[in-house]
Each structure stands twice: as structure tokens, then as C-alpha cells.
Amino acid sequence: MSEEAKELRWTMPDNLKGVRLHFVGIKGTGMAALVEILSDRGAVITGSDVAERFYTDEILEKRGIQAKPFSADNIGDGIQCVIYSSAYSPDKNPDLAEAVRRGIPLMLYSEALGAVSAQSYGCGICGVHGKTTTTGLTGTILKELDLPSQVLAGSVIASFGDRCTMTSPSFAPGTRNIFAAETCEYQRHFMAFHPKKIILTAVESDHQDYYPTYEDIRAAFVDYACLLPQGGDLIYCADDKGASEVANLAQAQRPDIKLIPYGTGAAAKGIEPGAAAGPDGYALSFGRVEGGRQYFTIDGLGEFALQVPGRHNARNAAAAVALCCRLLSEYGKNPSDCVDAIRRGLLAFRGGKRRSEIIARSKTPCGQELIVIDDYGHHPTAIETTLAGYREFYRGHKIIVDFMSHTYTRTAALLEAFASSFASADSVIINRIYGSAREDASASPVTGEILAEHAARHHGAVAYRGEFDEAAEEVYRQLSCLSGPEYPDGYLFVTMGAGDNWKVGKFLLEKLAGSANASPAK
């Protein structure tokens, strides 16, 4: 970005009614969510992006916004600020270049998110895993509580009404509203946020192109935690080694930060499962899984249930409960009086787009039940915990997973961890790697085929099918056999990864659609 462009900055006003904003890269998930937030606050919004249709087009169209092609003509005199995705630069994008020429200020998405948080009671939800789901759980609980709030997640959340955001009935612009948002560690984007409270779900090595070592990414989370005000809450997963390290390092620098642990008790301040995790902790005990629900108990609050699988999601729910209880106290309410509302919120949560999303329920060629799920899991820990959750939740189903690794740098750095992460699946199909524009694929020491070879050392049923049509054919072949007496309920097929291998599920369903059995998920 030129020095001239850097100087064109804007202070977001408290009252956005009638303020005209233009978004560059408006179809991005975070950008579309921010459009919802600022539109609810009264802003008049236009935007531009590529011609390809995304699921966010529908979100924008509900607001009467049609994404335009990139062009200098999009920038008129009435526009007061241009908000843009980090994927675009004023040096190359015509909208941004025209804004600079006209002297219209620019604001990165992360900066705009930070500006909203500065005007609110900001709550940042962060971590290498689970932040989207935890944000969705938080918003779904807040819908049930009488607290003025807006919530922004990094994906469409079913319980938000298939939106990325939730605005509570008691929200009023210009008052002391809660703003809870998913905040991203990549390139330290979360450092623009102004948190009063933070949820930290997990910390481990990731984004190796920006954080070459674990210590690098850990330091970023410590710096983020230290943005908390005097006495601010750091709600962290005591079951996660990295999150616990960050909490301790942050408190060493800032002894005033209040540490609020959640987890299974043994990890929360060294106590036994089922015991209270100290006066400020939220100790979690896992319960039964039955009737399409998993049950868990939070000490002092009672039993809760979720309709999404996986113990990792029970932990995410405990984090959301902890944050909402702390907010209730902050707003002068007794959390114990609101347990039924919290319980309703958790039970209403149905997950998010590409987060254990049930795409369809169908029949195999043999007439058995087939559930097709798409999930965004793209880190070894996320793969392992998510598949383990499916194994527990869908005990009677044989599990086939199709995985597409995201970025060559991550795959190379975590090759063995990826290779050993599929233990809970019965069959594994590996696709080609989904690369990043920042990478030189030809120089990479790893490919999807190499990943499959390593995975086969840990798992007895691994196949490499680089292309999606090949993968769909392989899945169809496997579904043409009965699942066997060990799995009387049929099959669960999962597409997993941050790439576009969800298309494997699409191709498979098209192949099955010759029979009238395929039906969309309800």
C-alpha cells in the first residue's frame, strides 16, 4: 500500500444512520457478516467482488445489496469510507485506487471490526480451533438472555436464522451494547480488536507461513490477551496446554488479568473431574450420548445438552456459558436465575455452515441410511477430535471421510500429525492439496499423494483420489457394499477440510439422485 493510502484513515462515528460505506471483497464471510452488523446500525452499504457466486450472495441480497464487479465507477462522492478485505490492495484494485485518488479514507476489515468493538462492550473469541462454533453458541445463548448484544461469527449459524450475525431484541444503537465477535490470529488481525473479555479455546502451531514456530503463534495470543483492560477476563480452556501457557504468560505480564478456566476439572487448577474449578472456574463433566443429544454438566449450574456431536463442542459450550455468565454479572443479573435460558440456548444450537453441517440424508445403493456431513476441520487436532465426536454420536454408522489438506506449508509442517489423525474413521480418502496463492506448489516437499502414503502407515483403509469425481466414484463403490453387522445403521460420509472438497459430497449425491431417495437435510 502506498504511503498516501496509509494516511487516509477514518474514525467510525457512534451513529451510523445514513453513513455510506463501500465494501471491497464484500462476499467474504467476515465481510458479509460485518455488512450485517453495520447495516443493523443504520449504514447504507454497497460493495464489489468477483463474479463467482458464493453462499454469502444470498446473505447480501436479503439486505438488498448486489455485489458489483470491481471498478473505479463504484466509488462516488457520497461514500464516506471504503472497507476492504486484506486480499486486496490499493495498488492493484480499481475501487481502492479510486478511493485513494478521491481522498476517501480506507479501513481494513480487521480495523473496522476493531472500531465496532471500541464502541461496544467488546468480547473477542479466539483460538486455533473452535472459535466459530464457540461464537455461534455464545450468540445463541445471548438470544435467550435479556442483554443488549450483537454477535459476529465466521460462518453462517443456523440458529442465527442462517446468518453470520445475531442482533438481540434489546440491542439499541448508541447504548452500552455487547459486541461478541470471532477474532482471527492470522497476521495478528485480532490486535485491532478492543476486548473487555476474551475466550481462548486452543493454541498450537498453525499458519506456518506467518508463524514459523509454535512460540511465534503463542506470543501473538499473549499479546492479544494483554489488550484486556484492568481486571479483564481471560476465559481459557484449561484442558488445552497451549491455552493454559498463554494464560500463565499473559498473567505474568499483567497480574491484574482475571483468569477464568473451563475444562474437565483435572486440568482446571489441578483438581479432580466433577469438582469446582476454583471460585471463578467452570468445571465440565461429560455425560451420556443418546437420542441425538450429548449431555454434560457444569459444576454449580447443572446439566445441559447439545444437538451437535463431539466432546470438543461440549468444551466450546462451557466457554460460551462462562462468557455469558460473566456478562450477566457485568450487567447486574444473577447467572443462577438464567440457567433455564442458557439451557434453551444451548439446545437450540444446530451448528454452522461447514461446521459438522448435515448436507443430506439419503440411501446407499444397498438401501441403507446415508448421512452426508461437511466440516471445515483442517488441522490435525480438529480432524482427530471431530471424527472422535462422530464415532461417539453416530455409533451405528460406518464412517468414510474424504479429506483435502489446506496449504502446502501446513501439510509439510504437520505431516505426521495429519497422517495419524483419522483413527476414528473406518475409511479415508485423500485428495490433492488445496494450495494458497501465497505458496509455490512446485517447490513443496509434500503432495496429497505423499500424505496418503503416510496416512496408510497409521490406518488400514486409505485411498488417494486426487480429483473430486474420482473421490466420489470411490465413495460410491464403498457404499455399494453393506456396512456390516458392526454398523447396523448404515453410513456416515464426511467431507473435511478448508478447501472445496465439499464438491465430492455434491457429486456423490448427484450420482445417488437417480433414485428418488436423496433428500435435502431438514
Side-chain angles (χ1 to χ4, degrees):
M1 185 190 300
S2 67
E3 291 302 316
E4 180 185 10
K6 286 180 182 178
E7 293 175 3
L8 296 170
R9 294 301 180 188
W10 184 62
T11 300
M12 186 178 291
D14 291 338
N15 186 352
L16 286 173
K17 188 173 182 179
V19 173
R20 291 189 58 195
L21 305 173
H22 182 75
F23 280 62
V24 174
I26 195 169
K27 295 185 184 183
T29 301
M31 293 282 277
L34 186 59
V35 166
E36 290 184 323
I37 291 290
L38 299 184
S39 177
D40 283 348
R41 295 185 178 212
V44 178
I45 295 171
T46 58
S48 56
D49 212 315
V50 296
E52 182 182 355
R53 189 168 180 85
F54 296 92
Y55 72 87
T56 51
D57 278 288
E58 186 175 346
I59 294 171
L60 298 169
E61 287 162 3
K62 287 178 181 177
R63 300 269 170 169
I65 300 169
Q66 191 77 39
K68 304 174 183 178
F70 296 124
S71 170
D73 294 338
N74 294 330
I75 309 301
D77 290 330
I79 293 174
Q80 291 159 265
C81 180
V82 175
I83 297 172
Y84 67 105
S85 161
S86 60
Y88 301 99
S89 164
D91 300 328
K92 296 180 180 179
N93 180 273
D95 301 51
L96 296 175
E98 179 65 12
V100 171
R101 189 189 72 79
R102 287 173 173 260
I104 298 171
L106 309 178
M107 185 176 277
L108 271 167
Y109 163 78
S110 56
E111 295 170 337
L113 196 67
V116 174
S117 70
Q119 297 171 353
S120 314
Y121 194 93
C123 301
I125 299 170
C126 69
V128 172
H129 317 298
K131 52 184 175 284
T132 300
T133 298
T134 305
T135 306
L137 285 159
T138 298
T140 309
I141 295 172
L142 286 172
K143 281 181 70 176
E144 298 290 335
L145 300 175
D146 185 24
L147 292 175
S149 55
Q150 284 188 310
V151 179
L152 181 151
S155 182
V156 169
I157 304 297
S159 50
F160 288 5
D162 290 327
R163 294 169 38 141
C164 301
T165 64
M166 185 286 297
T167 298
S168 72
S170 53
F171 172 83
T175 62
R176 187 172 177 258
N177 295 294
I178 296 162
F179 179 56
E182 178 178 338
T183 55
C184 182
E185 71 276 7
Y186 185 60
Q187 295 182 340
R188 290 179 167 246
H189 287 317
F190 53 20
M191 294 303 290
F193 202 78
H194 296 263
K196 299 289 194 302
K197 301 185 189 301
I198 289 174
I199 288 178
L200 175 58
T201 60
V203 179
E204 58 182 302
S205 183
D206 199 10
H207 305 298
Q208 286 79 9
D209 59 325
Y210 189 80
Y211 300 113
T213 69
Y214 164 69
E215 289 73 21
D216 293 328
I217 196 169
R218 185 183 66 185
F221 280 103
V222 171
D223 289 346
Y224 182 46
C226 287
L227 293 179
L228 286 165
Q230 181 81 17
D233 290 344
L234 177 58
I235 301 165
Y236 72 98
C237 183
D239 294 341
D240 185 82
K241 180 183 176 185
S244 298
E245 287 180 0
V246 167
N248 291 328
L249 289 167
Q251 194 175 57
Q253 293 184 34
R254 288 276 310 282
D256 64 289
I257 291 176
K258 196 157 194 174
L259 300 186
I260 312 294
Y262 66 92
T264 52
K269 299 191 175 182
I271 56 180
E272 294 304 313
D280 297 317
Y282 292 78
L284 171 71
S285 298
F286 300 118
R288 66 197 185 281
V289 177
E290 64 181 27
R293 296 179 181 181
Q294 64 163 320
Y295 294 84
F296 61 95
T297 300
I298 298 176
D299 190 77
L301 294 174
E303 187 179 64
F304 301 89
L306 286 173
Q307 297 194 71
V308 292
R311 293 187 171 193
H312 60 295
N313 280 326
R315 287 189 177 90
N316 293 335
V321 170
L323 175 58
C324 290
C325 286
R326 302 295 292 183
L327 287 169
L328 285 164
S329 297
E330 190 72 34
Y331 278 70
K333 299 177 185 291
N334 186 344
S336 297
D337 296 336
C338 303
V339 171
D340 285 343
I342 293 171
R343 192 171 284 121
R344 287 195 305 271
L346 290 178
L347 197 55
F349 183 72
R350 297 290 194 278
K353 191 170 185 63
R354 304 217 64 209
R355 271 69 179 180
S356 295
E357 180 186 9
I358 296 178
I359 301 300
R361 296 180 184 273
S362 181
K363 295 289 185 183
T364 71
C366 296
Q368 291 186 290
E369 180 183 55
L370 169 65
I371 301 172
V372 180
I373 286 180
D374 183 44
D375 190 80
Y376 192 68
H378 58 280
H379 187 283
T381 302
I383 297 165
E384 184 174 3
T385 57
T386 301
L387 291 176
Y390 297 155
R391 179 75 289 148
E392 185 177 26
F393 207 74
Y394 299 101
R395 287 193 186 96
H397 291 76
K398 191 170 188 177
I399 299 176
I400 303 171
V401 61
D402 178 274
F403 177 67
M404 184 180 211
S405 195
H406 180 229
T407 80
Y408 290 90
T409 51
R410 180 186 284 120
T411 310
L414 303 175
L415 180 60
E416 291 308 318
F418 274 118
S420 61
S421 64
F422 302 102
S424 294
D426 297 288
S427 175
V428 182
I429 299 166
I430 304 291
N431 308 139
R432 56 181 165 76
I433 293 173
Y434 186 86
S436 164
R438 299 181 298 270
E439 299 179 307
D440 178 8
S442 64
S444 173
V446 68
T447 63
E449 198 162 11
I450 289 172
L451 173 58
E453 291 171 0
H454 282 251
R457 299 172 188 173
H458 300 271
H459 199 288
V462 178
Y464 176 72
R465 299 292 184 268
E467 300 306 318
F468 300 153
D469 56 345
E470 299 172 344
E473 287 289 342
E474 175 63 25
V475 179
Y476 188 86
R477 184 189 67 78
Q478 294 187 31
L479 295 178
S480 298
C481 301
L482 290 172
S483 55
E486 187 180 356
Y487 301 114
D489 296 335
Y491 283 89
L492 177 71
F493 173 57
V494 184
T495 52
M496 181 169 278
D500 58 351
N501 63 320
W502 55 266
K503 294 175 182 176
V504 177
K506 177 176 178 286
F507 292 160
L508 175 65
L509 290 169
E510 288 173 354
K511 192 170 179 64
L512 291 168
S515 68
N517 296 315
S519 62
K522 300 296 184 185

